[in-house]
Amino acid sequence: MELGTSFEIKKHFLQGHAIFWPPTIGIDGTSYVVTGAPPGNSHLFAISPDGEVLWASKPQASLDDLDSFAIMNAPTIDAEGHLYVGDRDQLWAFRPDGEVKWVVDLKKYGVDWGFMTVVLSRQAYVGGVTTDGKVLFFWSHNGELAMPPLELPGGEGPPPEDSPPEFLWKDLMDPALIPF
């Protein structure tokens, strides 16, 4: 079998929206992707197998909306097709049609920076470890705390020798949300 030597883009999705993780694909073939576009844009999109945007989260007007730190999470999907994604200080649950199911304010639990990855458990818990070492799990059906918070032991790590290079974060998310 010979490989082609000439390729062209058939369709470009979400022009101007930085993407860090590949999309998560549901059992019906719908792709869910989070982006780090500036405020005023949506940060979660559902894209059909044919390449049409089915729905998008409400555009970010304030940090109370799904913010661009969501780019650090690949959406997690449960057996019913509900999606879970974290942003800087919230955990969001969306129904398969894009309607918000519930939102947890992680600041209530002393969290400054949210989950890097949201996980689901067999017990129907959703949550994980926050970037500041707190382990939090909530019931996936209603967003209520499923068990007492746990703080991982440890302390401040050694200071970084250098700041991450600017190109690592440039245009990836809202500069106000970069944690350095």
Side-chain angles (χ1 to χ4, degrees), residues 19 21-22 27-28 103 171:
I19 297 171
W21 293 108
I27 56 173
D28 65 352
V103 181
D171 299 325

Side-chain angles (χ1 to χ4, degrees), residues 6 22 36 46 52 78 89 93 100 102 114-115 138 151 158:
S6 176
E52 300 304 318
D78 69 15
D89 54 13
V100 174
W102 51 256
F115 301 107
F138 303 90
E151 187 141 351

